[in-house]
Structures are given as C-alpha cells and as structure tokens.
Amino acid sequence: MEGELKPMNAEQLRECGHRMVDFIADYYKDIENFPVLSQVQPGYLRQLLPGSAPVHPDTLEDVLDDMQRKILPGVTHWQSPNFFAYYPSNSSVAGFLGEMLSAGINMVGFSWITSPAATELEMIVLDWLAKALNLPDDFLSTGRGGGVIQGTASEAVLVVLLAARDKVLRKIGKDAIGKLVVYSSDQTHSALQKACQIAGIHPDNCRVLKTDSSTDYALSPESLSEAITHDLAIGLVPFFLCATVGSTSSTAVDPLLALGKITKSNGIWFHVDAAYAGSSCVCPELRHYIDGVEEADSFNMNAHKWFLTNFDCSILWVKDRSALIQSLSTNPEFLKNNASEKNVVVDYKDWQIPLGRRFRSLKLWMVLRLYGLENLQAYIRNHIKLARDFEKLVAQDSRFEIVAPRKFSLVCFRLLSPQSDEDCANKLNRDLLDAANSTGKIYISHTVLSNKYTLRFAVGAPLTEERHVVDAWKVLQVEASNLLRTL
Amino acid sequence: MEGELKPMNAEQLRECGHRMVDFIADYYKDIENFPVLSQVQPGYLRQLLPGSAPVHPDTLEDVLDDMQRKILPGVTHWQSPNFFAYYPSNSSVAGFLGEMLSAGINMVGFSWITSPAATELEMIVLDWLAKALNLPDDFLSTGRGGGVIQGTASEAVLVVLLAARDKVLRKIGKDAIGKLVVYSSDQTHSALQKACQIAGIHPDNCRVLKTDSSTDYALSPESLSEAITHDLAIGLVPFFLCATVGSTSSTAVDPLLALGKITKSNGIWFHVDAAYAGSSCVCPELRHYIDGVEEADSFNMNAHKWFLTNFDCSILWVKDRSALIQSLSTNPEFLKNNASEKNVVVDYKDWQIPLGRRFRSLKLWMVLRLYGLENLQAYIRNHIKLARDFEKLVAQDSRFEIVAPRKFSLVCFRLLSPQSDEDCANKLNRDLLDAANSTGKIYISHTVLSNKYTLRFAVGAPLTEERHVVDAWKVLQVEASNLLRTL
C-alpha cells in the first residue's frame, strides 16, 4: 500500500478490505485444522505481546501475522464443524456480509432521525419474521406492539422485567418494590436471575420452581398456581413469569397455554424465552412448541444462535411497546428533534438499555433475503436430523444412556458407571468431557439434570455435516473406552 | 456465483466478501454526494419493501441494488465529512478491518474458556490504553482493577452504579434502597438518569446540581458538599457521583480533584464519564483535563466516538473489579469450567449486563497497531485545530456569538436576534438549524445552555478537512442571511 494508512480513505479501505476478506476466507478453509477448544494456558498472551501500545504504526501484514501466530491459537472456534458445546452461535456468508455493511456505514441509530432506514428496516424485518413464526398480530409494529433487536437474551429479559416492574409500581407505589415476586423454573436461564439482581428484585422473592424428569423438566402449571396463591396470601405481589421454550440444559419446553391462563388471571407479565428454539419454529412442523404464545406479553428468540445471523441479534417482540418506553425513555435536550416531538416515529433508544445502536437489522435482512425462508427451514431440519442420527448412535451403545428426550438439535446423554454409585458416574462423565475436549477434535459442554452430570451434544454450526457427527461419536467412544479401562 | 448460497462456504464468502468490500469502498468514494441528514419522511421504507420475507433466495446483486436505491436514501451519513451533529462516531480503515475480523471469527467470549484470546487481548489492550492515558496503576488489570469494553457509556455507568449500589446495600441492608442518593450536574448525560431508573434509585433521590456560565457549566464542589451535608442531615445515604469530562452539551469539565476529595471523605463511589473527551487525553498537552482521575473509582471513554474505533467500543476502567463481579456474576451449571472454578482467569460475563460478547478488543487492537499513538494524537489535534478555525470564523461575524468556551473540537454558538427578546432568539436559532440541515449539505445539532437555544458544531468525522469546515460556515451564513431578511 502506498503511504501511511489514513483514518479513512476509500481506496485504502478497498485494498485492505480485500486482503482481510482473503484472510477470513482462508480461516474458514483451514478451520478444521485448529483444535476446536483452545488448548492455551491462562496468561499465555501477555508473554507474547509488548507491554504498551506502539507509537509508530505497524503494517497490516504484521498484524495479520500476529493474528495467525499469536491470537488464533487462543481462539475457541465456534464456527468449527466440530463445535457441539453450549448452543451454536451461527456465522454465515449472508450474516458476515451484513456485519460488513453495518460496520462500513457505521451510523448510530438511537433515534429515527439519526438514520430513518435503520429504524424502519428493523420494524419491517421483525414484522416479516413475526409472520414467518406465525406470531399473533399483537406483536406486529403496525399495532400497539412491535419488535426490537437487543444484543442478547439477557438484555431482552431485563428490559421486559423493568417494564413489568414499573407498570406494577406505578399502580402500587414505588416503595412496594420489596413485595414484587418473579416466577421461573429451575431450568430458566441465569439471565433472569441477573435481571432480577439488576432491577432490585429481592432475592427472596424470586421463586425458582422445581422441575424433574416427570415433565421432561418443564414447569408445571400446578406448581406455578400454588406458588402464586401462597404469595398472595402473605401479601406479596406476583408480577412476572419467565417461561422457556428450549431450555439451556435440555431443551425443556414449558406449557405456554396453561401458564398463560394463570398469568392472565393474575395480571402477571408473561415473558417467553425461546432464545435457542425459537428459530426452529419457522418450520411449520415445529411451530407447535410455541403454541400458547398468544397469551404472552413478550417473546424472545436469538437469531444469532441458530438462524445464520452473526452475533449479536436477539429479537424481542412485545405487545405493549408503551410499557417498555415508559421504563426506558429519556428525553435530553440535545436529542430533541421534530420527528420525535411530533410522536410520529419509533425511537429505539427507548426500547433498550444503551443509547447508541448499530444498523442492527441489516444482517437479519440479508439473511432472510439471501437464503429465503425455504433454505432457513432446510437448515434447521438438517441439524435436527443430524442430532437424531447422533441420538441413535448413543442409543446403540449400551454403555451410554440418553438423559432427556431430544426435541430439537441437542442430545443430553451420559456414560453409565460400572459401579452404581452416583458420584462415580458423575466423575466418570466429567472426566469424559475433559478427555474429549482435550483432544481438540470436538468441543462439548455439560449440565446437571436431577443431580446427574450430563453431557450436552448440540448440533448447530453451519459447517457441520454427517461425517463430523459420526467422527465426534467415535472420539467419545474411544475416550470412554480408555476411561472405563482404567477403572 | 455458481449454485445457491450455502450457510457457510469459504469460497462463496471470498467471492461475496470482495463484492461487499467494493460496495463499501464505493460508498466512501461517493459519500459527499448524499444529503448528510436523510431527507425521507416517516414510513417511507414500508412503501418500498414487500410485506413478508422471501420464500426463495434473492441474489446479492438484488440486495445491493435495494441497498443503494431504497436503504441509502434513508441513511443519515455519520461518516460524511459534513457531519457535525451530536458527537462523532468514527469509522476508520483499521476499525472496519477489526469489525470484519471479529464478525468473521464470530466467537462468543463470555468466559475465558470460550475463547481465551478474546479475554486476554482485551485485558492487555486496555492496559496499553490506560498507560497511554497515564491513568493510575490502580486501573490496570495486573492489580485489583482492570478495564472492560462495554457497548456504550450508558452500560458503563449502569454497571458501576449497580456495583456501588450493591456495595452499600451489603452494609446497610437491601431494604434501604429508598435512602440511596446519586449526585450529578444538570450537564450530566441522560444515561445516568436512565441507569438510576433501571437500578431502582428513587427519582427524588437523584440530585441534579445546577451549573451556569460562571463555571463554564462545570459542577461546583461547594454545591456538591452542600447537597451531601443536607442529605446526611435528613438521614439519607449519599453513594454515587457521576462527574463529566467533556459534557454532551458544551464539553464542560468537572473539577475531578476537588470532587474526588469530597467523595472520598464521604465513602461515595466516584465515576468519571469522559465518553467524548477521554480520547483526547492521549495528547500530553490535553491530559490535564483528567487530572484528579486518581481519585475516581471508575473511568469511561468511548473509543467509538473520537478514536477511530467503529461502534461499539466503550471502555470502562475500575479500581475494584470485585465490586462489579459481586453485582453481576451468575454461575449456572452449564457454564462451569475448570479455569473459572480455579479462579485463575477473568470471565468478562461478570463485568457486564449481557452474557454473550463479541471479540470486542480486536478492532481497538488493530486501531492502535495500524495507526500507532503518534497518528492518533495527530488525528485528535487536527480536529481541534479545525474546530478552532470554525470558532474564529464565527467570532469574525458580529451577527453570531460563541455561547461557551471551546475546549476540544465542539463549538457552541448562536445567531443573535435583532430583537433582544430571548424567545425570538431561540426561535431564530431553531429555524437556522432546520434550514441548514434541510439543505442536506451539513448536519449540526443543538442544546440549550442557560435557557439559550444553542447550536453545536462538533468536528470529528475522519474525512473532515478544512474545506468542509469552511463550506459549512458558508452554509450557515447564507441560511442566517435568509432568515434575518424575513424578520
């Protein structure tokens, strides 16, 4: 490149951008050659980098060289076809292009006026997706509701918890915050607990209702009813339920319709967290998992998990946007403008925690346009098929058991202990997890269900094919054999 | 491209990625041809797009064509050299490359184990920047403190407010939340008010201390002392001060040293919001603006404003990371891992609101490497020079006045009204703002200082040169002449 890098220059951006595209394409070409879980030790990088920022500029080739030699060994490769841990976090060609475009334009769309297209495209695209999910019309932006892209499901549940909190406190007085009660199950994501901490809900007033294998770890409506009745009797104020469709541990699905009837008759805000499984409901044959969503006040799915939209893109729909806005709006003089004052536009700053926001909808728009719903459905179905294949492989090996029924693309399983002792079995599976992940060939994670240490095999990376699933199972079988031999 | 777009494919990513680089480079080449403030009407886009998502895929050329013809007219061009509104939100070649790389790798670095390099590079790079700003060693990650990249300054002030809230409530009991008092000035960013709403601080307990032109809108230590004394006398619990270096309205600089002495003697958490002006303190001759930062508990600057790092990148340093972690940590079974259990690593999920997070440090690392501190200093100095030039132009035209002294790259000014009536003057300036912005040639914003409607001219876009500032002034002079003629 001729001359020093300027802050911004179209031709330098072009030249360097092309170089970076090749670097990233080569990364994907080579991705199976890296250990999927990084094998570095804590503190490895500080030994490799200087102690202060450079005074004079380095070249792009210097930086890419350090990226390759020093940074990538410390990366855990979420896009590897051998990544089966947690839940997937999809990158796709379309999602990547959307990120590039959003970063290139780099506008800050906090109010409509600061980039009308950013707000309007978000409203339109989230209406598209609501229709694809067959959500009730109440969630569309054309009525009193609408969708908004949050960063993560944690932020989604926080903003609706705040909206619900303030709605009830406006009625019963701000000093009654100590009386407010939140309901969830012991399978609900920890994001709810964090949201309660932030919102100042008393920890003693967070009802974590027990589930077990008799309901496949779904929340029972009876236990919710009982808890509410008890809380009302002692003068507390039930105000929020978080139900889950596709829990993080085992893809448990709470019965939305029955839960919704209870919340409605008690004036409780009903939030549905479908962060992982929501995406699958664009397939008509899976839509039944969110039956009852018409009873909900808010619904969340993460397009950045299993919908080919690069991180972050967590979609929240609400029926009553005014409740969000009443909790989250500010109106400083320096942001006032004619469009906002006339109240004819949406200002997304009032639907979220941060003020600033990217052109968030661009990548979701590109994913929907460049794949179309038919390919997105095929994508989901393929992962479910691969998980079903894996489940069959596990079932054929009598040394293992399936711990919870598979609904989507997650298989919960464990190695049986030759001893019947539960502690031994838990240690055995913990050792199997460590052994498998230490090979660098696969990455899986775990949970605990009914006190059983359980391995989670979550299919969902865009590059994963049948051969990766088959090979992963071989790794697990080999490591299991090794461990069983040493017992 | 041959065949349909796959979810992920290295060669398709390469081909499409090159196409997108050219689209974005061409955007920058043409950027001065767009009206800087979008001139569309509310609802314009819904008329141009279909009512539902496509079932079958569209081509990249279709999408880019829609981008050009339908979306870009609705974009307000923050990267235009004629953007002088709010504060800048810098895109740069290096920042854009960092965004590409982060989006390409698309890992989710909530815990160290999920990508060790993401956590470690962030710690290292924020130590680099802390040293470049000459922050006290207490803010380095090698001690009990450290830096973390938040999305926005709103999230930064929220997380430290929560840390401070919970620290004091652990001492005096959770039910005492109604007694907690927060201090700020009437120039403090609305982000603090929003954080207080979220954290459940009683609105009556938010002391917004008055400032005026006698201190250039800086908070007076005397007024803080008086307020604290009064609150203590009536049994309230002062616990948080947010001071500002470079306020949003007029770049007011609160006297950190004097304020810090007061907070220290009262056990109050002292947060410094230098979201805009912090970046400038890498220049030794400007570092004095944050003298006294050694008294602060937390310090925030937005690298995405004026430091060539694409949105979002808001840096927060704290002296006591354990206070943050105590407020924001969760530890669900499915995230447990050996490195975290041994307590030998940083898990940034416990320093922020969301769980998931990008490879946040990558673009800041690339900015520091590809420009070097010397070019970043030159970049800041150039904008300050351009703002000084603009200030001189205003001062030479007796029809205008400078409303607040210029410290950094913002000029606050207004057109004087031929009538001495204040309402007329305010209307005149509002009309001038609308007229200038309606030309599409420049975009400026406003504030109100001491009841005076004031125009803000913020230099800071990476492409802005002397000619843009001179031309902007001509636009303002022409529109002012037109308005004055009609009076």
Side-chain angles (χ1 to χ4, degrees):
Chain A
M1 196 168 58
E2 291 193 21
E4 280 204 342
L5 192 65
K6 301 207 176 95
M8 179 48 75
N9 172 285
E11 296 315 316
Q12 289 184 330
L13 180 143
R14 194 187 308 272
E15 186 179 338
C16 296
H18 284 308
R19 177 69 188 91
M20 186 59 88
V21 165
D22 284 330
F23 184 90
I24 293 167
D26 290 344
Y27 168 71
Y28 279 99
K29 220 170 63 181
D30 295 342
I31 198 164
E32 291 190 55
N33 299 330
F34 296 100
V36 52
L37 174 66
S38 171
Q39 305 287 319
V40 299
Q41 294 302 308
Y44 91 102
L45 191 57
R46 203 176 286 267
Q47 301 160 21
L48 301 177
L49 296 188
S52 55
V55 173
H56 310 296
D58 293 322
T59 68
L60 180 56
E61 287 311 314
D62 290 339
V63 173
L64 291 179
D65 189 55
D66 277 358
M67 185 71 199
Q68 193 73 40
R69 291 189 306 112
K70 298 175 182 172
I71 307 290
L72 282 183
V75 168
T76 293
H77 302 277
W78 286 64
Q79 303 315 316
S80 165
N82 300 312
F83 185 96
F84 302 104
Y86 311 111
Y87 276 134
S89 180
N90 285 177
S91 177
S92 69
V93 178
F96 174 69
L97 295 173
E99 284 277 2
M100 282 178 72
L101 194 49
S102 166
I105 293 177
N106 200 52
M107 54 96 250
V108 189
F110 45 80
S111 302
W112 179 87
I113 190 76
T114 65
S115 234
T119 298
E120 297 199 8
L121 188 64
E122 189 159 325
M123 294 166 71
I124 292 166
V125 167
L126 298 191
D127 283 350
W128 286 4
L129 194 51
K131 289 177 192 171
L133 290 165
N134 201 13
L135 294 184
D137 287 353
D138 300 347
F139 286 117
L140 299 181
S141 70
T142 41
R144 294 173 50 242
V148 56
I149 302 178
Q150 304 281 331
T152 61
S154 302
E155 288 150 274
V157 71
L158 174 58
V159 296
V160 293
L161 184 76
L162 294 169
R165 178 196 71 179
D166 293 348
K167 197 173 169 181
V168 64
L169 291 180
R170 279 193 295 274
K171 279 190 213 150
I172 65 173
K174 198 141 182 101
D175 295 330
I177 189 167
K179 292 189 177 176
L180 301 188
V181 188
V182 169
Y183 302 86
S184 68
S185 87
D186 55 6
Q187 301 301 309
T188 305
H189 194 280
S190 54
L192 178 68
Q193 180 206 330
K194 186 157 176 168
C196 289
Q197 286 170 209
I198 293 166
I201 306 301
H202 205 297
D204 296 343
N205 291 353
C206 296
R207 302 280 168 264
V208 179
L209 303 170
K210 244 183 108 49
T211 64
D212 60 33
S213 59
S214 71
T215 61
D216 293 345
Y217 301 98
L219 176 56
S220 113
E222 292 71 33
S223 78
L224 176 66
S225 277
E226 275 170 33
I228 291 173
T229 303
H230 175 261
D231 287 325
L232 287 171
I234 58 175
L236 297 178
V237 181
F239 88 106
F240 192 83
L241 168 68
C242 178
T244 308
V245 174
S247 65
T248 309
S249 276
S250 69
T251 68
V253 174
D254 292 338
L256 302 190
L257 193 60
L259 295 172
K261 301 279 181 212
I262 299 168
T263 55
K264 193 171 264 179
S265 64
N266 287 278
I268 292 174
W269 185 294
F270 181 25
H271 177 65
V272 176
D273 169 6
Y276 157 69
S279 302
S280 73
C281 298
V282 296
C283 300
E285 73 276 18
L286 299 169
R287 170 59 174 76
H288 66 91
Y289 284 116
I290 56 168
D291 282 357
V293 67
E294 60 276 13
E295 304 293 331
D297 295 288
S298 47
F299 177 79
N300 170 232
M301 69 157 259
N302 285 353
H304 63 240
K305 278 197 163 66
W306 195 18
F307 206 65
L308 292 175
T309 312
N310 291 42
F311 188 86
D312 50 3
C313 188
S314 178
I315 305 167
L316 173 68
W317 286 276
V318 295
K319 281 187 182 166
D320 174 15
R321 60 177 175 253
S322 76
L324 266 190
I325 294 168
Q326 281 182 273
S327 276
L328 297 169
S329 74
T330 53
N331 190 24
E333 182 64 40
F334 50 80
L335 298 183
K336 287 184 180 164
N337 63 85
N338 295 335
S340 300
E341 301 286 296
K342 284 184 199 146
N343 213 9
V344 292
V345 294
V346 161
D347 290 328
Y348 273 129
K349 71 181 177 62
D350 299 333
W351 299 48
Q352 63 175 20
I353 304 295
L355 172 60
R357 65 200 318 270
R358 296 171 189 244
F359 201 147
R360 284 185 173 278
S361 56
L362 218 38
K363 59 188 168 182
L364 183 60
W365 178 63
M366 293 193 70
V367 164
L368 288 167
R369 296 273 318 257
L370 292 177
Y371 296 117
L373 289 172
E374 63 179 8
N375 284 323
L376 290 161
Q377 291 166 340
Y379 176 72
I380 297 276
R381 286 173 184 142
N382 180 51
H383 284 155
I384 292 178
K385 183 202 160 292
L386 294 179
R388 200 183 294 127
D389 292 347
F390 183 84
E391 187 186 28
K392 280 185 200 150
L393 292 170
V394 177
Q396 283 160 14
D397 187 332
S398 61
R399 300 174 301 171
F400 288 84
E401 68 169 337
I402 302 287
V403 180
R406 184 202 51 74
K407 294 190 187 69
F408 304 97
S409 66
L410 171 73
V411 180
C412 290
F413 68 108
R414 71 193 317 236
L415 183 55
L416 294 164
S417 171
Q419 299 98 329
S420 58
D421 181 86
E422 197 63 66
D423 284 349
C424 290
N426 286 346
K427 182 177 182 314
L428 185 65
N429 280 282
R430 200 177 294 120
D431 290 346
L432 178 55
L433 180 94
D434 286 343
N437 288 342
S438 297
T439 65
K441 292 178 187 167
I442 64 170
Y443 184 28
I444 61 171
S445 61
H446 81 283
T447 190
V448 170
L449 290 169
S450 301
N451 298 317
K452 290 181 180 178
Y453 193 97
T454 299
L455 305 181
R456 294 173 73 269
F457 189 87
V459 180
L463 288 168
T464 302
E465 299 172 18
E466 193 177 345
R467 66 185 168 93
H468 301 104
V469 170
V470 171
D471 288 350
W473 175 239
K474 282 186 195 146
V475 168
L476 286 159
Q477 282 187 309
V478 167
E479 297 302 328
S481 298
N482 288 344
L483 281 171
L484 290 172
R485 242 196 320 272
T486 62
L487 285 185
Chain B
M1 195 167 59
E2 293 192 20
E4 278 204 345
L5 193 65
K6 300 206 177 96
M8 179 49 74
N9 173 286
E11 296 315 317
Q12 289 185 329
L13 180 144
R14 194 187 309 272
E15 187 179 337
C16 295
H18 284 310
R19 177 69 188 91
M20 187 60 89
V21 165
D22 284 331
F23 184 89
I24 293 166
D26 290 344
Y27 168 70
Y28 279 98
K29 220 169 65 179
D30 295 342
I31 198 164
E32 291 190 53
N33 299 331
F34 297 99
V36 52
L37 174 66
S38 171
Q39 306 287 319
V40 299
Q41 293 302 308
Y44 91 101
L45 191 57
R46 204 176 283 268
Q47 302 160 20
L48 301 177
L49 297 188
S52 55
V55 173
H56 310 296
D58 293 321
T59 67
L60 180 56
E61 287 311 315
D62 290 339
V63 173
L64 291 179
D65 189 54
D66 276 358
M67 185 71 198
Q68 194 72 41
R69 290 189 306 114
K70 298 174 182 172
I71 308 290
L72 283 184
V75 167
T76 293
H77 302 278
W78 286 65
Q79 303 314 317
S80 164
N82 300 312
F83 185 97
F84 303 103
Y86 312 111
Y87 276 133
S89 179
N90 285 178
S91 177
S92 70
V93 178
F96 174 69
L97 296 173
E99 284 278 2
M100 282 178 72
L101 194 49
S102 166
I105 293 177
N106 201 51
M107 54 96 249
V108 189
F110 45 81
S111 302
W112 179 87
I113 189 75
T114 66
S115 235
T119 298
E120 297 198 9
L121 188 63
E122 188 159 326
M123 295 166 70
I124 293 165
V125 167
L126 298 191
D127 283 352
W128 285 4
L129 193 52
K131 289 176 190 170
L133 289 165
N134 202 13
L135 293 184
D137 287 354
D138 300 346
F139 286 117
L140 299 181
S141 70
T142 42
R144 294 173 50 242
V148 57
I149 303 179
Q150 305 282 332
T152 60
S154 301
E155 289 150 276
V157 72
L158 174 58
V159 297
V160 294
L161 184 76
L162 294 168
R165 179 196 70 180
D166 295 347
K167 197 172 170 182
V168 64
L169 291 181
R170 279 193 295 275
K171 280 190 212 151
I172 64 172
K174 202 146 177 94
D175 295 330
I177 189 168
K179 290 188 177 178
L180 301 187
V181 188
V182 169
Y183 303 86
S184 69
S185 87
D186 55 6
Q187 301 301 307
T188 305
H189 195 280
S190 54
L192 177 68
Q193 181 208 328
K194 185 158 176 169
C196 289
Q197 287 170 206
I198 292 167
I201 306 301
H202 206 297
D204 295 344
N205 291 354
C206 296
R207 303 279 169 264
V208 179
L209 304 170
K210 241 184 112 51
T211 65
D212 60 33
S213 60
S214 72
T215 61
D216 293 345
Y217 301 98
L219 176 57
S220 113
E222 292 71 35
S223 77
L224 176 66
S225 277
E226 275 169 34
I228 292 173
T229 304
H230 175 259
D231 287 324
L232 288 171
I234 59 175
L236 296 178
V237 181
F239 87 107
F240 192 84
L241 168 68
C242 178
T244 307
V245 174
S247 65
T248 309
S249 276
S250 69
T251 69
V253 174
D254 292 337
L256 303 189
L257 193 60
L259 296 171
K261 300 280 180 211
I262 300 168
T263 56
K264 193 170 263 177
S265 65
N266 287 279
I268 292 174
W269 185 294
F270 180 25
H271 177 66
V272 176
D273 169 6
Y276 157 69
S279 302
S280 73
C281 297
V282 296
C283 300
E285 73 276 19
L286 299 168
R287 170 59 174 75
H288 66 91
Y289 284 116
I290 56 168
D291 281 357
V293 67
E294 60 276 12
E295 304 292 331
D297 294 287
S298 48
F299 177 78
N300 170 232
M301 69 157 258
N302 286 354
H304 63 237
K305 277 196 163 66
W306 194 18
F307 206 64
L308 292 175
T309 312
N310 290 42
F311 188 85
D312 51 4
C313 188
S314 178
I315 305 166
L316 173 68
W317 286 275
V318 295
K319 280 185 182 168
D320 174 14
R321 60 177 175 251
S322 76
L324 265 191
I325 294 168
Q326 283 182 270
S327 276
L328 296 171
S329 75
T330 54
N331 191 23
E333 183 63 40
F334 50 81
L335 298 183
K336 286 183 181 166
N337 64 85
N338 296 335
S340 299
E341 301 286 296
K342 285 184 198 146
N343 213 8
V344 292
V345 294
V346 161
D347 290 328
Y348 273 130
K349 71 181 176 61
D350 299 334
W351 298 48
Q352 63 175 19
I353 304 295
L355 171 59
R357 65 202 316 271
R358 297 170 189 246
F359 201 148
R360 284 185 172 280
S361 55
L362 218 38
K363 59 189 169 181
L364 183 59
W365 177 62
M366 293 194 69
V367 164
L368 289 166
R369 296 275 316 260
L370 292 177
Y371 295 118
L373 289 173
E374 64 179 8
N375 284 324
L376 290 162
Q377 290 165 341
Y379 176 71
I380 297 275
R381 286 172 184 141
N382 180 50
H383 284 155
I384 292 178
K385 182 202 160 291
L386 294 179
R388 199 182 296 125
D389 291 347
F390 183 84
E391 186 186 29
K392 278 184 203 151
L393 291 171
V394 176
Q396 283 161 14
D397 188 331
S398 62
R399 299 174 301 171
F400 289 84
E401 69 169 335
I402 302 288
V403 180
R406 185 202 50 74
K407 295 189 186 70
F408 304 97
S409 66
L410 171 72
V411 180
C412 290
F413 68 107
R414 72 193 317 236
L415 184 56
L416 295 164
S417 170
Q419 299 97 330
S420 57
D421 180 88
E422 198 63 66
D423 285 348
C424 290
N426 288 346
K427 181 175 184 311
L428 185 65
N429 281 282
R430 199 177 294 119
D431 290 346
L432 178 55
L433 180 94
D434 287 342
N437 289 342
S438 298
T439 64
K441 292 178 187 167
I442 64 170
Y443 184 27
I444 60 170
S445 61
H446 81 283
T447 190
V448 170
L449 291 168
S450 303
N451 299 317
K452 288 180 180 178
Y453 192 97
T454 298
L455 305 180
R456 293 173 73 268
F457 189 87
V459 180
L463 288 168
T464 302
E465 299 172 18
E466 193 177 343
R467 66 184 168 95
H468 300 106
V469 170
V470 171
D471 288 349
W473 176 239
K474 281 185 198 149
V475 169
L476 286 160
Q477 282 187 309
V478 168
E479 298 302 327
S481 298
N482 288 344
L483 280 171
L484 290 173
R485 241 196 320 271
T486 62
L487 286 183

